[in-house]
Amino acid sequence: MDSSDEALDIIVTNVVATFRTRCHLNLRTIALEGTNVIYKPEVGKVLMKLRKPKITASIWSSGKIICTGATSEDEAKLGARRLARCLQKLGFKVRFSAFRVVNVLAVCSMPFGVHLIDFTKNNRPIASYEPELHPAATYRIKHLKATIQVFSTGSITVTGPNVQNVATAVEQVYPLLFECQKPLCK
Amino acid sequence: MKSCKNCGSSEIDVDASRGNAVCMSCGSVLEDNIIVSEVEFVETGGGGSLAVGQFVSAEGGAKLPSFGDSHFTGVGKESRAQTLQRAKQHINTLGHQLQMSQHCLDTAFNFYKMALTKHLTRGRRSAHVIAACIYLVCRTEGTPHMLLDLSDLLQVNVFVLGKTFLVLARELCINAPAIDPCLYIPRFAQLLEFGEKNHEVSMTAMRLVQRMKRDWMHTGRRPAGLCGAALLVAARLHDFRRTIKEIISIVKVCEATLRKRLVEFEDTPTSQLTIEEFMKVDLDQECDPPCFTAGLKKIKAQQLEMELRKKIDEVSDEIQEYQDEIDAELENSRPKLRGIYAAYTRDVPNSDMLSSSSKSADGEELEDNDELQAVAKHFGRDLEELTLEALIKLEQKRPEEEEEEEEDVPRRKGPSLESILGPMPSSATLGLRESINTCTEKENDGAADSGELDLSGIDDSEIELYLLNDKEVKIKTALWMAENSDYLKEQKEKEAKIAKEKELGIYKERKPRGPSRRRPPIRASTADEAIEKMLEQKKISSKINYDVLKDLDVKPGSSPARKVESPKKEPTAAKLTRRNRMPARTPLSLSTPLSSLGKRLKPFISGQPNKKQAVEQASNPLPVAVGAPGGESVVVESGPVMYDDGAAEEEDEDEEEVCVSAMELMGGNDYGFDGDDDGF
């Protein structure tokens, strides 16, 4: 899929997913009867951390749950189901519905450095670079809904709604980065 | 403009010298600042001559002289003008604090106007938007102003300002060129007071910055930090003693950053040059960005660690062997232990192993109790190893080999397995089940939307681990209650408060972030009841004497009552388009206090006599209104509602003397809401 000879390693580091349990949850019960839970009554949510797929879930009393920390979409789903099972055991009539992966974060490293100022100049409105605020240049692809942050060392972080989009985004941005590359003398 | 809007007369006097147009019958000023094309001169005292007329500012929104009742004309164009004027004022204030030229400030104002037309000011603090406009100008003009300066002045977080700035730049399609650190050098050099050598130092600093750019130190860094480092070095080069603290206070970076930049520069080959060489020669070699080299170093360090770890493992294995041999020999001297050991052993091969070892080992007499305990302890450890080994044997299914193998081999397996299994004793069994489950687990989606939980791949017993048992629950409950006692107290107090309020009937459900809602329509069987209930709800105004109002309600029976009914139904049922503009959400009702109604309606305050007039006029449209509540257009509404308000205010203000009402003056019937916009 890559245009160059070596394949670029796109490592997915975080997957965020949400689902609903379709029933009201009593946060105090969960907080008192679960292990690895943090209860935040001021905000109104419970943080529950699972070990097996390493996942942190924010549980609201309305029944909406957000799972973060998974490293793949399948893992996120597995973790979410585990969580739902856990809540079921606590006694709530949990139904697993509306599971949706919301955000995927991946990192990738280019074998060359990138000249950020040239890169921003070439891609004017889509890319923006503000060194006073953030060391990376931000490139937003609207139709993919993906955001790419490019650092001068050549490593990039990509966020998008699913893994496929992220891969496509990397492919799209690669030739642009290749133009403004700065060969790193290793 | 041929007829007066207020009285309808056509006698209008236009005075060119004052630029006024005045109605001769009612006296209201219809126009001010009339623009004429002829120029007239008048004589001033002392023989000089003045041009007749007034100066009108080129920009709209100049303060209109208040002629009579102009203060409620804040609608439509005027409000836009006011906004612009206010913005201009703020921009100028801010700009002068930054010592920006007027030209820049004008450009900033233009940006603001553009932003206004694109509705970018909505939902943002005006201070932020103004700061963003100014910064935009700074960037396009290339002035040495930093976003940090602006945030210092406004005491706002830099990133918040930056966000607004980025949004503005994107929406207005303005390409702000990237910041060049060289821009900041003259500014900082000025502040550092280099005296005559200012120029030289600046030039040196600029060369340094350019060199830094080539060495890839400047991408992704705050330009101010680079400037600071460059200036420090340049100052030292020219024998100026500027401490780091002085530079920090001017450049607005912290000490750590400055030191880091200096260190990074030190790493580049340029730093090895002497001063003269540096001024003349430019090295061709370019460096990697410092974070990249740091990353490489990290990777190397990690690799080294891995190798070291492997070596340590091997060494520790050897040590373990020797240790175990020694222990085995020690153990031989204790026949008692063997007996105990026999009781502990589970597998025959184990005892065989040890008996063989005991045969092979030399017997040594142990005398001290400490040594015995130590051995026993080691035995305990050994037992663990052996049980683990037993497990492994079960899984690996190699019992025979175990027997045959030497003492060393299984022991060697012990430590390495222990290192794996030690920290996670339970996952061994679970790991197996996991792999089995993943094999059997095929279906993933499908059942998701139906709401049923697909249990494949979920190990129940593992989930049980996540739940505490009863005893633990009790302990945790106690702990949690103790921790959060404050919060619980607050909650109780809140509830008590709400309960009290409910009893008193004043309970208002307050959502912390909900939009303010219209009050639900009061359900009452008679108009009197309705008025009473409404009065109970809304006792806000201090200008209304409610007691008198109550008396009034009783008096002329039908008329206020009927008036009340219709506005009650209509404001809530139908949409008040024009009315909504006024006092944002309060429905026009009998008890809307005067202040909230806004200045527009104040002049409609009048005394008693007009009530009759209003009643008569109201009674006509009333039957129509009552007959078709809510279904009719605005026209029907405007009549009764408006009149009733006038009547309401009349009743409120009954202390006032009887005077001719504004409505009468204006001629009640042709009473359009639009006409009021100009404020008569």
Side-chain angles (χ1 to χ4, degrees):
Chain A
M1 275 171 63
D2 213 44
S3 51
S4 70
D5 288 329
E6 336 92 47
L8 282 174
D9 274 335
I10 305 178
I11 307 168
V12 178
T13 51
N14 190 21
V15 175
V16 178
T18 64
F19 69 97
R20 306 166 106 188
T21 57
R22 292 237 172 269
C23 78
H24 189 267
L25 301 172
N26 187 345
L27 294 184
R28 207 178 271 201
T29 324
I30 301 176
L32 294 177
E33 294 185 17
T35 48
N36 312 319
V37 287
I38 305 171
Y39 184 23
K40 295 197 174 181
E42 321 87 44
V43 187
K45 68 180 180 187
V46 167
L47 288 174
M48 186 158 184
K49 303 200 188 203
L50 259 64
R51 273 204 207 107
K52 221 352 171 4
K54 197 132 188 280
I55 273 183
T56 308
S58 307
I59 307 171
W60 270 269
S61 57
S62 60
K64 290 197 186 160
I65 301 184
I66 300 184
C67 294
T68 60
T71 54
S72 76
E73 291 184 359
D74 294 329
E75 214 182 271
K77 183 126 198 208
L78 182 65
R81 285 196 285 119
R82 275 208 187 188
L83 195 62
R85 181 84 187 114
C86 193
L87 292 173
Q88 237 175 24
K89 293 220 160 188
L90 277 171
F92 300 108
K93 289 201 187 128
V94 161
R95 293 177 50 189
F96 187 78
S97 78
F99 176 83
R100 193 170 76 92
V101 170
V102 173
N103 190 24
V104 172
L105 171 73
V107 295
C108 181
S109 192
M110 302 283 146
F112 46 80
V114 178
H115 200 110
L116 290 181
I117 299 184
D118 284 347
F119 176 72
T120 332
K121 273 192 204 155
N122 292 350
N123 306 293
R124 239 311 143 56
I126 319 177
S128 90
Y129 172 49
E130 203 61 38
E132 284 198 24
L133 296 175
H134 190 59
T138 322
Y139 186 88
R140 284 178 213 272
I141 306 179
K142 245 189 182 173
H143 61 96
L144 284 176
K145 290 192 234 165
T147 307
I148 304 176
Q149 295 198 336
V150 184
F151 290 86
S152 60
T153 54
S155 39
I156 60 174
T157 78
V158 194
T159 59
N162 57 51
V163 179
Q164 191 55 42
N165 275 26
V166 161
T168 323
V170 174
E171 278 178 55
Q172 264 197 19
V173 91
Y174 184 86
L176 301 168
L177 294 173
F178 195 79
E179 286 174 7
C180 324
Q181 70 175 279
K182 186 239 169 213
L184 289 168
C185 34
K186 298 179 196 180
Chain B
M1 212 221 15
K2 292 300 170 190
S3 67
C4 171
K5 280 176 218 157
N6 301 328
C7 63
S9 86
S10 50
E11 280 183 39
I12 298 178
D13 169 48
V14 180
D15 188 350
S17 61
R18 274 178 298 156
N20 285 346
V22 183
C23 167
M24 298 310 287
S25 56
C26 66
S28 56
V29 179
L30 297 170
E31 264 192 31
D32 204 354
N33 286 336
I34 296 180
I35 297 172
V36 293
S37 46
E38 62 244 19
V39 184
E40 293 178 12
F41 291 95
V42 289
E43 230 185 75
T44 57
S49 51
L50 266 181
V52 167
Q54 294 173 354
F55 280 110
V56 182
S57 166
E59 296 143 2
K63 242 189 182 176
L64 293 169
S66 56
F67 45 106
D69 35 15
S70 70
H71 41 258
F72 53 88
T73 59
V75 206
K77 272 188 196 162
E78 304 289 24
S79 101
R80 176 54 65 91
Q82 266 187 4
T83 321
L84 285 173
Q85 193 194 17
R86 232 180 294 135
K88 192 168 178 62
Q89 218 175 353
H90 287 311
I91 288 175
N92 282 335
T93 327
L94 217 53
H96 286 311
Q97 281 175 312
L98 289 169
Q99 283 116 31
M100 287 174 63
S101 69
Q102 192 57 41
H103 163 70
C104 293
L105 296 177
D106 290 338
T107 322
F109 186 56
N110 282 333
F111 284 150
Y112 186 86
K113 276 193 248 176
M114 288 203 286
L116 203 57
T117 49
K118 291 206 175 186
H119 306 293
L120 295 173
T121 49
R122 297 256 179 95
R124 294 193 171 88
R125 305 252 165 116
S126 64
H128 294 355
V129 181
I130 287 168
C133 289
I134 291 181
Y135 187 63
L136 207 50
V137 170
C138 289
R139 283 290 281 271
T140 49
E141 300 282 324
T143 62
H145 289 106
M146 297 192 289
L147 201 56
L148 270 174
D149 302 329
L150 279 169
S151 83
D152 272 343
L153 279 175
L154 290 173
Q155 297 292 307
V156 171
N157 188 0
V158 138
F159 297 105
V160 169
L161 279 185
K163 207 175 177 190
T164 321
F165 163 71
L166 283 173
V167 167
L168 219 63
R170 196 177 57 213
E171 294 297 321
L172 298 178
C173 304
I174 294 171
N175 293 329
I179 307 173
D180 193 3
C182 299
L183 284 175
Y184 292 132
I185 286 177
R187 176 184 158 193
F188 293 140
Q190 200 76 33
L191 291 168
L192 281 170
E193 295 172 1
F194 287 123
E196 292 155 356
K197 280 197 172 180
N198 200 342
H199 184 70
E200 288 176 30
V201 180
S202 308
M203 291 313 293
T204 319
M206 272 204 229
R207 265 189 79 91
L208 278 165
V209 169
Q210 278 163 8
R211 183 65 228 173
M212 283 183 191
K213 276 197 212 173
R214 292 192 63 192
D215 282 334
W216 278 81
M217 269 174 64
H218 86 297
T219 353
R221 270 81 191 280
R222 287 231 179 117
L226 288 170
C227 290
L231 274 170
L232 184 64
V233 176
R236 296 276 167 84
L237 283 178
H238 288 270
D239 302 324
F240 280 104
R241 242 195 275 159
R242 295 283 176 267
T243 61
I244 290 188
K245 283 198 181 159
E246 287 173 12
I247 295 199
I248 290 173
S249 57
I250 287 174
V251 168
K252 296 182 193 172
V253 291
C254 75
E255 200 179 317
T257 316
L258 208 53
R259 280 190 205 280
K260 209 176 172 197
R261 299 284 168 270
L262 290 171
V263 165
E264 284 168 5
F265 191 62
E266 203 183 331
D267 287 338
T268 66
T270 315
S271 63
Q272 307 301 322
L273 300 171
T274 66
I275 300 177
E276 289 88 21
E277 281 176 9
F278 173 70
M279 297 307 240
K280 290 170 198 165
V281 176
D282 222 0
L283 286 177
D284 279 334
Q285 182 201 5
E286 296 179 359
C287 295
D288 289 335
C291 37
F292 183 75
T293 41
L296 280 178
K297 275 186 197 167
K298 248 192 191 174
I299 294 174
K300 277 188 191 165
Q302 272 179 351
Q303 281 177 343
L304 271 174
E305 255 194 69
M306 294 287 288
E307 285 175 31
L308 279 172
R309 226 180 264 168
K310 280 184 203 165
K311 284 189 185 163
I312 287 172
D313 280 340
E314 289 170 25
V315 171
S316 67
D317 286 347
E318 283 185 39
I319 294 172
Q320 198 66 35
E321 287 169 33
Y322 295 133
Q323 211 175 1
D324 291 332
E325 271 181 39
I326 294 168
D327 288 333
E329 289 187 18
L330 287 171
E331 160 250 326
N332 284 336
S333 61
R334 292 284 154 192
K336 240 201 261 176
L337 289 166
R338 250 191 248 156
I340 294 170
Y341 186 70
Y344 282 141
T345 47
R346 296 179 191 180
D347 282 330
V348 175
N350 288 334
S351 60
D352 280 348
M353 258 189 345
L354 278 163
S355 53
S356 63
S357 69
S358 65
K359 283 172 200 164
S360 58
D362 298 326
E364 281 181 11
E365 292 270 339
L366 280 173
E367 282 157 4
D368 298 334
N369 279 330
D370 298 335
E371 281 182 333
L372 182 63
Q373 279 180 5
V375 169
K377 274 187 203 164
H378 191 76
F379 250 108
R381 210 161 56 76
D382 267 359
L383 279 170
E384 273 183 40
E385 282 183 342
L386 288 165
T387 53
L388 283 170
E389 284 182 23
L391 272 174
I392 297 151
K393 278 174 211 166
L394 284 171
E395 288 165 4
Q396 292 172 356
K397 298 174 187 172
R398 292 189 298 164
E400 295 164 357
E401 293 176 31
E402 294 290 315
E403 288 179 9
E404 289 169 6
E405 275 171 2
E406 288 172 343
E407 210 180 31
D408 294 339
V409 174
R411 301 259 182 198
R412 202 180 291 148
K413 278 200 190 126
S416 54
L417 277 164
E418 198 181 26
S419 59
I420 296 168
L421 294 172
M424 296 191 297
S426 58
S427 60
T429 51
L430 288 169
L432 280 180
R433 274 195 225 176
E434 265 302 298
S435 53
I436 295 169
N437 282 333
T438 47
C439 291
T440 53
E441 164 190 305
K442 290 298 171 189
E443 21 179 12
N444 269 331
D445 305 320
D449 276 33
S450 71
E452 285 159 19
L453 185 58
D454 185 13
L455 285 177
S456 63
I458 296 176
D459 184 14
D460 270 3
S461 61
E462 191 197 347
I463 305 259
E464 295 280 344
L465 287 173
Y466 285 116
L467 305 173
L468 305 167
N469 58 29
D470 291 330
K471 197 179 167 195
E472 289 170 352
V473 169
K474 280 187 200 161
I475 298 171
K476 194 165 182 187
T477 319
L479 276 173
W480 191 85
M481 290 294 178
E483 276 272 338
N484 299 9
S485 52
D486 295 333
Y487 176 74
L488 290 169
K489 266 189 217 165
E490 275 178 43
Q491 294 294 83
K492 278 187 192 160
E493 283 170 20
K494 240 191 191 177
E495 281 175 29
K497 224 169 109 186
I498 293 175
K500 265 192 216 167
E501 284 182 3
K502 265 191 180 153
E503 287 168 30
L504 293 175
I506 314 175
Y507 178 55
K508 270 189 199 175
E509 217 177 284
R510 277 203 198 104
K511 261 192 191 169
R513 262 174 280 136
S516 61
R517 291 192 193 132
R518 285 184 164 222
R519 230 167 281 118
I522 299 174
R523 313 231 178 272
S525 46
T526 68
D528 296 328
E529 258 190 69
I531 299 171
E532 279 173 24
K533 281 191 184 171
M534 189 198 8
L535 288 171
E536 274 177 51
Q537 271 189 11
K538 252 206 147 183
K539 287 183 182 165
I540 301 177
S541 172
S542 56
K543 297 179 185 167
I544 301 175
N545 188 344
Y546 285 101
D547 303 326
V548 182
L549 186 62
K550 278 184 189 163
D551 293 336
L552 283 178
D553 293 344
V554 181
K555 243 200 323 190
S558 59
S559 41
R562 272 206 273 165
K563 281 180 231 155
V564 170
E565 270 184 319
S566 43
K568 278 288 164 301
K569 286 181 197 167
E570 284 164 18
T572 52
K575 274 189 193 161
L576 294 168
T577 50
R578 292 276 165 64
R579 298 293 173 277
N580 283 346
R581 232 198 280 155
M582 264 182 13
R585 309 272 174 94
T586 52
L588 292 169
S589 58
L590 198 63
S591 71
T592 9
L594 298 168
S595 46
S596 73
L597 275 173
K599 301 168 182 167
R600 188 183 294 146
L601 290 177
K602 270 188 181 152
F604 304 146
I605 300 161
S606 63
Q608 296 289 355
N610 212 36
K611 196 172 49 169
K612 288 185 192 160
Q613 190 187 25
V615 170
E616 289 159 13
Q617 285 161 342
S619 58
N620 285 334
L622 256 182
V624 182
V626 172
E632 297 292 341
S633 61
V634 183
V635 178
V636 178
E637 281 178 350
S638 64
V641 174
M642 218 40 242
Y643 284 133
D644 291 334
D645 278 333
E649 277 129 19
E650 294 152 34
E651 293 172 356
D652 295 344
E653 298 282 318
D654 75 316
E655 295 106 28
E656 280 183 353
E657 293 178 347
V658 174
C659 60
V660 182
S661 76
M663 281 210 293
E664 271 190 332
L665 286 175
M666 288 179 257
N669 270 337
D670 63 329
Y671 187 58
F673 213 66
D674 306 39
D676 303 329
D677 285 358
D678 293 348
F680 293 115

